[in-house]
Amino acid sequence: MQYFLIICFVFWPVFVQATVGIDLDKVKPLTVVEFLPEEEFKTKTRMEDVTPYGDEFLAFNVRLPNEWSENLAELSEQTKSISGPTQNILGTVARYVSPPNQHLRSFFELEVAELTYEIGARNWFINYVINKGFTLEQVGAEDERTVEAIYLDIKGDITYIVRVKAIINGSRMVMAHYYLPQELYQEERVLQAQVINSFKLTNRQVTGVEKLELHAFLDQSFFEYPVSWKLNAPYVKSIDRMRAMLYHSTQIGKLDGQMNIYLANRITDTTRANEINLYKEKLEIENYKLGAFLEQPKLNFHSDMHFGITQVYSMDPAVAHMIDYELWVSVLEGTEYIYVISLLTPARTEEFYTWARNIEAYKLLLRGMRRYDGDVNYYKFYAKEDFKITK
């Protein structure tokens, strides 16, 4: 049966407004600091083991300099108004300050923010810096849920060099900040780095931020997606070819993100090359053209896939004053199906947070795209109690 791949984008022209982005290529990696010997560091510091507001999911420990003292007087009014652990805790929930040094003080703060969507720690933090108007100096990531960075913050007439560790814990972002006056940086920078390195959350949550929905192409393939995305999946007429679309938008007439998923059964004698060519031939977005190749990121795929590759391209507007988009395209292959999965998103240089949110949802979908699903009992023909082995 001859088949024509339909590349369908629910696309509206979006004109440049007050969008904010960042050039990620200009962000420096985190400089490695040679720590004090462990015994010396322990002699100069004490362990603080704290559960702010009795909320076990904010519990942390950190080694702070011996002479530092707790200072709750300057916690934000928003935080001080919170009465207990059942509330939606936001703002600064712990604060410690140093004695004065040249009339300057360093201080440590624990800040908590509520997450709305799935997003990587590094990208969330970069967006945080953009919105706060800080100057990002260096950034490094331990994993998708933890990032450490250095930024500049000016409070009054004092410039602080701030080292921070930000950790996603369930649906919250928890940030440990060590504020160090610029004048004291050289003498205290090692201690700053080692204190932040010692910070740990003692009750980590591995749950996601959003609820996930499961979509099944009959009993042939499965994937999950965040509930904030809308699903459009046509009725399946044949397992030879199947497709689905996910999209979300924050305002009428504006596309904030769209993913298309295409499945081709290998019994049709198709190949990866054939499916890629079909996709390229039918790719057409009004007022946009395929632009430069940007990158080939290394993404994780489900173990059901024995091949997977992702490439990213710019989508350049043909009309002046329209924003740039990016097209992410992944080709996966399992034993029975070839999958072409694409994401259309505002470019990272245009709307960084939207881009970061879309990328995280796309990664989640790719990790979960699989041939079989353990929660669906399509292949369970007998109940365990009815199936007995006779010796």
Side-chain angles (χ1 to χ4, degrees):
M1 178 179 68
Q2 190 173 8
Y3 172 82
F4 294 97
L5 186 64
I6 301 173
I7 307 297
C8 177
F9 286 99
V10 181
F11 192 79
W12 305 279
V14 181
F15 293 91
V16 175
Q17 299 175 353
T19 56
V20 179
I22 190 169
D23 187 348
L24 297 179
D25 293 333
K26 294 183 179 179
V27 179
K28 299 177 182 178
L30 197 64
T31 301
V32 177
V33 176
E34 185 175 348
F35 289 165
L36 298 171
E38 189 64 21
E39 287 305 314
E40 182 181 351
F41 176 65
K42 287 183 177 179
T43 300
K44 292 183 175 182
T45 60
R46 69 181 190 275
M47 177 65 78
E48 287 287 332
D49 202 335
V50 186
T51 305
Y53 296 92
D55 188 328
E56 61 178 320
F57 298 116
L58 296 179
F60 71 93
N61 58 48
V62 64
R63 296 200 70 89
L64 293 174
N66 292 322
E67 64 275 16
W68 285 32
S69 59
E70 187 174 16
N71 182 354
L72 301 179
E74 296 188 28
L75 296 186
S76 67
E77 292 299 323
Q78 180 184 19
T79 304
K80 286 191 289 185
S81 68
I82 297 169
S83 59
T86 60
Q87 303 298 316
N88 184 22
I89 296 179
L90 299 172
T92 303
V93 298
R95 193 172 194 271
Y96 297 83
V97 298
S98 73
N101 182 352
Q102 303 176 37
H103 306 290
L104 298 169
R105 293 178 185 265
S106 301
F107 59 96
F108 173 91
E109 284 189 348
L110 189 73
E111 184 181 3
V112 183
E114 199 73 19
L115 299 177
T116 307
Y117 304 111
E118 302 294 340
I119 191 170
R122 184 177 189 271
N123 287 335
W124 185 93
F125 181 76
I126 290 173
N127 186 72
Y128 168 88
V129 169
I130 292 172
N131 288 337
K132 292 288 187 178
F134 301 147
T135 301
L136 184 61
E137 293 291 313
Q138 301 175 10
V139 62
E142 295 181 15
D143 53 48
E144 281 291 312
R145 302 179 71 84
T146 305
V147 63
E148 191 170 336
I150 295 175
Y151 66 91
L152 301 183
D153 183 11
I154 300 175
K155 295 182 180 293
D157 59 353
I158 302 175
T159 298
Y160 290 93
I161 299 176
V162 187
R163 195 176 188 105
V164 58
K165 181 185 284 188
I167 303 172
I168 295 176
N169 197 29
S171 61
R172 291 169 173 169
M173 177 65 80
V174 182
M175 291 175 284
H177 307 262
Y178 188 129
Y179 285 78
L180 177 56
Q182 190 173 35
E183 292 84 346
L184 307 178
Y185 183 67
Q186 289 305 317
E187 66 179 87
E188 202 175 321
R189 61 186 288 270
V190 173
L191 186 62
Q192 179 195 47
Q194 205 156 352
V195 165
I196 288 299
N197 181 70
S198 74
F199 175 80
K200 301 289 187 300
L201 289 175
T202 56
N203 194 351
R204 293 291 299 271
Q205 291 178 283
V206 295
T207 57
V209 177
E210 291 188 73
K211 180 182 176 182
L212 302 180
E213 293 284 355
L214 173 71
H215 178 67
F217 292 97
L218 301 179
D219 62 347
Q220 298 296 298
S221 285
F222 305 83
F223 68 87
E224 283 89 14
Y225 62 95
V227 295
S228 58
W229 291 70
K230 297 178 181 178
L231 174 70
N232 183 340
Y235 176 76
V236 176
K237 298 180 180 180
S238 168
I239 64 170
D240 290 351
R241 299 280 180 173
M242 296 177 284
R243 63 186 175 93
M245 179 181 71
L246 296 164
Y247 66 96
H248 75 95
S249 61
T250 54
Q251 55 185 290
I252 296 175
K254 180 179 184 294
L255 176 67
D256 287 320
Q258 183 175 324
M259 290 185 275
N260 287 307
I261 304 102
Y262 304 99
L263 282 66
N265 199 316
R266 294 181 63 189
I267 63 173
T268 60
D269 292 328
T270 189
T271 64
R272 291 199 301 264
N274 288 342
E275 296 306 310
I276 293 170
N277 287 332
L278 280 172
Y279 184 88
K280 290 167 60 178
E281 289 171 5
K282 301 301 178 181
L283 177 63
E284 185 175 342
I285 302 175
E286 186 178 0
N287 294 322
Y288 279 82
K289 62 180 180 179
L290 189 66
F293 170 79
L294 298 179
E295 60 175 313
Q296 186 168 301
K298 293 182 179 180
L299 303 183
N300 295 321
F301 308 113
H302 194 274
S303 58
D304 283 0
M305 304 298 159
H306 57 70
F307 175 87
I309 190 172
T310 301
Q311 293 186 343
V312 184
Y313 295 86
S314 65
M315 293 299 298
D316 300 333
V319 179
H321 308 303
M322 292 178 65
I323 72 169
D324 294 335
Y325 278 78
E326 291 179 17
L327 181 68
W328 291 55
V329 182
S330 297
V331 180
L332 314 181
E333 186 170 359
T335 304
E336 298 174 57
Y337 282 92
I338 296 170
Y339 306 77
V340 178
I341 304 171
S342 64
L343 165 69
L344 185 67
T345 175
R348 66 198 81 184
T349 54
E350 296 280 0
E351 298 178 15
F352 184 81
Y353 182 79
T354 300
W355 173 86
R357 172 192 171 186
N358 290 343
I359 296 309
E360 201 63 28
Y362 187 65
K363 291 178 180 178
L364 187 152
L365 188 152
L366 291 177
R367 289 195 302 268
M369 179 61 73
R370 58 200 181 274
R371 173 63 179 87
Y372 300 106
D373 188 72
D375 296 329
V376 180
N377 296 322
Y378 290 108
Y379 306 100
K380 185 177 177 183
F381 299 106
Y382 300 96
K384 289 182 180 179
E385 58 272 18
D386 296 333
F387 189 76
K388 296 180 173 59
I389 298 177
T390 303
K391 293 186 178 179

